[in-house]
Amino acid sequence: MSPHTPATPLPLATLADTQRAFAHVSRGKVEAFAALGMPLVLGRREGARFQDAYSGRWYWNCHCNGGVFNLGHRHPRVAGAVRDALLDIDIGNHHLMSPWRGALAERLVATTGGRLPGVVLGVSGSEVVDAAVKLARGTTGRETIVSAAGGYHGVTGYAMAAGDAPFREPFGAGAAGFRQVPWNDLAAMDSAIGSDTAAVLLEAIPATLGFPLPEPGYLRAVAALARERGALLVIDEVQTGLGRTGTIWSHEQEGVEPDAIIVGKGLSGGVYPIAALLTSAAMHEVIDTHPFAHSGTFSGAEPGCVAALAVLDVVEEPGFLERVAALGERFERDLADLPFTLRRRGLTMGLAFGEEGAGVTAARALIDAGVFVVWAGNDTRVVQFKPPLILDDAGAEEITAIVRGTLGT
């Protein structure tokens, strides 16, 4: 089915009915998107596409909810594994041992070659960012966390404090013990890391900043500064991990060995929420020494572990990462002469325009044309462009044609 071919919508009578249903959840967000002419209602979904349940129109999903749908919607192996497991398991009990949690932890540790042997499971990226801050402070006995201005790490306490003010100020939340410096500014980082620094917390490629790639050697230099001064390096791979950049972890391409990695979104396969913090043995000693100080009822829920194991099965198949790299190169080649700068690593891409707000305008135009994207919240010059990793050649060709026809001069 072409994404432009209307199908029978899900049984939602009118857009007003749908908006009424959301009035109790996020009225402001619904109204904001409606004002931008994008009142989409997620209906049927399959592979790289989803349907607007109100209009019946199909869209290519080139945002993937920040990477939740790296493997597309309802990937049969992930959905099938969870469906089958639910015949025998449920959430589980976080106080008790679980073969599912153990199997997932073992697989995650293996992605680091055993260098990060500690695993803390959670429900969301925000939750495991909080855990990373707690463990960094507990390990070093220091308080300050240094992060990048314009970055984003989540909406809970410590995760929110590590981000920009607009995510804190509406709630009267402060950021004591947190310090921000400009991304890619090594001199500013050098000045910020001191004797009170517990950890440097950085996204491998900052998403809400529009995916500006790290300057060559930047992350290695930050790692060296941190280690020299007794601080830890935590890399947030929520949007870039699990093959999105052509390697399991984006920081591998920088030659960096962090003390911890944060993973979420895509670990769920878009089927069941789960996230994880991978840590060095030294960081994990805090958990080993105080085993009841950090836990969560739904952390490492067994159906989520099943979903994550299936995701790793797919991503680690021979040829999968090579296919991601080839698709990224194809998009770079086919979009080379358009009026934007393409920021790209694998299938993590930002379409960067010259003026503030141009990313919002471009995103709206692409959505009108049948390609769903979102602009970068902290740099509205940029469109976040993240096609699913399972995209076939025909899909890539059609998406390219739409982008060229919409944004070309």
Side-chain angles (χ1 to χ4, degrees):
M1 179 191 302
S2 166
H4 303 297
T5 302
T8 303
L10 289 175
L12 298 172
T14 67
L15 182 59
D17 290 337
T18 304
Q19 289 176 326
R20 186 172 67 247
F22 281 99
H24 306 289
V25 179
S26 185
R27 182 173 63 249
K29 184 175 286 187
V30 171
E31 292 173 351
F33 278 108
L36 289 167
M38 301 185 298
L40 302 182
V41 180
L42 190 61
R44 287 191 175 93
R45 60 216 75 172
E46 59 178 62
R49 305 168 305 151
F50 68 87
Q51 184 189 42
D52 177 15
Y54 170 64
S55 69
R57 188 181 189 191
W58 285 82
Y59 293 83
W60 292 104
N61 192 346
C62 288
H63 176 250
C64 291
N65 203 6
V68 171
F69 300 111
N70 279 345
L71 301 185
H73 294 279
R74 300 189 302 112
H75 191 285
R77 289 174 60 181
V78 181
V82 174
R83 180 194 61 228
D84 292 346
L86 286 174
L87 297 175
D88 299 305
I89 66 172
D90 50 25
I91 294 295
N93 188 314
H94 69 289
H95 288 304
L96 304 180
M97 298 300 99
S98 162
W100 299 109
R101 287 196 290 274
L104 175 58
E106 187 174 62
R107 290 284 296 278
L108 287 170
V109 169
T111 68
T112 73
R115 203 181 56 77
L116 299 180
V119 178
V120 179
L121 296 173
V123 177
S124 69
S126 296
E127 179 186 336
V128 294
V129 169
D130 280 4
V133 172
K134 290 163 70 173
L135 266 63
R137 287 176 167 175
T139 300
T140 63
R142 302 174 176 183
E143 181 181 18
T144 300
I145 305 295
V146 179
S147 60
Y152 176 82
H153 298 283
V155 297
T156 53
Y158 291 148
M160 175 178 61
D164 282 10
F167 299 106
R168 302 189 305 269
E169 290 176 346
F171 311 106
F178 289 80
R179 184 179 304 156
Q180 285 187 303
V181 299
W183 170 252
N184 270 332
D185 188 332
L186 189 58
M189 185 66 73
D190 189 1
S191 297
I193 303 174
S195 59
D196 63 339
T197 303
V200 177
L201 169 62
L202 294 174
E203 293 168 271
I205 308 172
T208 54
L209 204 52
F211 296 125
L213 298 181
E215 296 289 346
Y218 172 71
L219 289 180
R220 286 196 305 276
V222 171
L225 286 171
R227 299 228 164 87
E228 175 186 295
R229 298 169 192 180
L232 304 173
L233 176 63
V234 179
I235 299 292
D236 184 336
E237 292 263 16
V238 168
Q239 291 229 25
T240 53
L242 300 171
R244 169 53 68 176
T245 63
T247 49
I248 293 293
W249 307 115
S250 182
H251 71 266
E252 293 177 53
Q253 299 179 44
E254 298 292 329
V256 176
E257 294 187 352
D259 298 285
I261 304 169
I262 294 159
V263 57
K265 294 190 186 296
L267 193 64
S268 71
V271 172
Y272 202 100
I274 190 163
L277 171 68
L278 315 185
T279 77
S280 66
M283 281 187 74
H284 206 263
E285 283 181 9
V286 179
I287 295 291
D288 295 335
T289 304
H290 306 282
F292 296 100
H294 178 86
S295 64
T297 302
F298 298 112
S299 298
E302 292 186 358
C305 294
V306 172
L309 286 164
V311 167
L312 290 171
D313 285 343
V314 173
V315 172
E316 292 178 341
E317 280 191 333
F320 184 89
L321 295 175
E322 290 78 6
R323 168 67 178 173
V324 171
L327 273 172
E329 291 167 1
R330 173 178 181 158
F331 276 110
E332 181 167 358
R333 181 180 65 249
D334 293 347
L335 302 179
D337 58 341
L338 294 180
F340 53 73
T341 300
L342 181 65
R343 302 169 174 177
R344 185 187 74 82
R345 177 166 289 171
L347 284 176
T348 297
M349 293 179 279
L351 315 182
F353 297 85
E355 298 180 359
E356 292 295 328
V360 180
T361 302
R364 181 172 177 177
L366 287 171
I367 292 170
D368 287 344
V371 173
F372 182 73
V373 291
V374 173
W375 59 91
N378 288 338
D379 188 345
T380 60
R381 300 173 302 169
V382 185
V383 173
Q384 294 179 337
F385 188 66
K386 299 181 69 176
L389 309 185
I390 47 82
L391 192 65
D392 61 19
D393 289 340
E397 183 175 350
E398 182 162 354
I399 291 168
T400 296
I402 293 171
V403 174
R404 293 190 64 83
T406 303
L407 302 182
T409 56

